């Protein structure tokens, strides 16, 4: 399951872009993340505002979240 993100790294490099540092797997967190991490029970408006404060619009927020969750799922399957 590391093949999708690894393929993305080589695809970007193959297009002449800078090499993206890559390491397989992940280090599991041992403590809770900062309070600024969006929680699933929070309303959409608070997520939108949180991303807006970081310079992202709604389209970019959706793109980032969908991409992160896709790669995150791949990461979780690596552990199994
Ligand atoms: C969001 O920002 C991107 C540029 O980063 C832009 O292309 C896109 O049109 C914007 N979307 C909206 C809904 O403003």
């Amino acid at each position: 399951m590391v093949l999708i993100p690894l393929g993305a790294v080589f695809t970007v490099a193959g297009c002449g872009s800078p090499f993206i540092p890559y390491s397989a797997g992940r280090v599991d967190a041992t403590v809770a993340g900062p309070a600024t991490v969006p929680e699933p029970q929070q309303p959409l408006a608070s997520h939108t505002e949180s991303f807006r404060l970081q310079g992202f619009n709604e389209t970019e927020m959706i793109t980032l979240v969908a991409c992160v969750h896709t790669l995150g799922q791949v990461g979780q399957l690596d552990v199994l």
Side-chain angles (χ1 to χ4, degrees):
M1 288 296 173
V2 298
L3 293 179
I4 294 173
L6 184 59
V9 168
F10 280 100
T11 299
V12 170
C15 292
S17 297
F19 183 77
I20 301 171
Y22 175 80
S23 60
R26 66 177 185 175
V27 177
D28 290 331
T30 56
V31 295
T36 55
V37 173
E39 297 291 335
Q41 69 274 10
Q42 291 176 311
L44 176 60
S46 74
H47 294 303
T48 304
E49 177 64 8
S50 174
F51 277 82
R52 187 192 65 76
L53 291 173
Q54 297 173 69
F56 299 109
N57 63 31
E58 285 187 42
T59 303
E60 294 166 326
M61 176 184 76
I62 292 166
T63 302
L64 285 169
V65 171
C67 183
V68 165
H69 281 267
T70 299
L71 295 177
Q73 180 65 34
V74 170
Q76 288 179 358
L77 293 175
D78 285 343
V79 177
L80 297 177

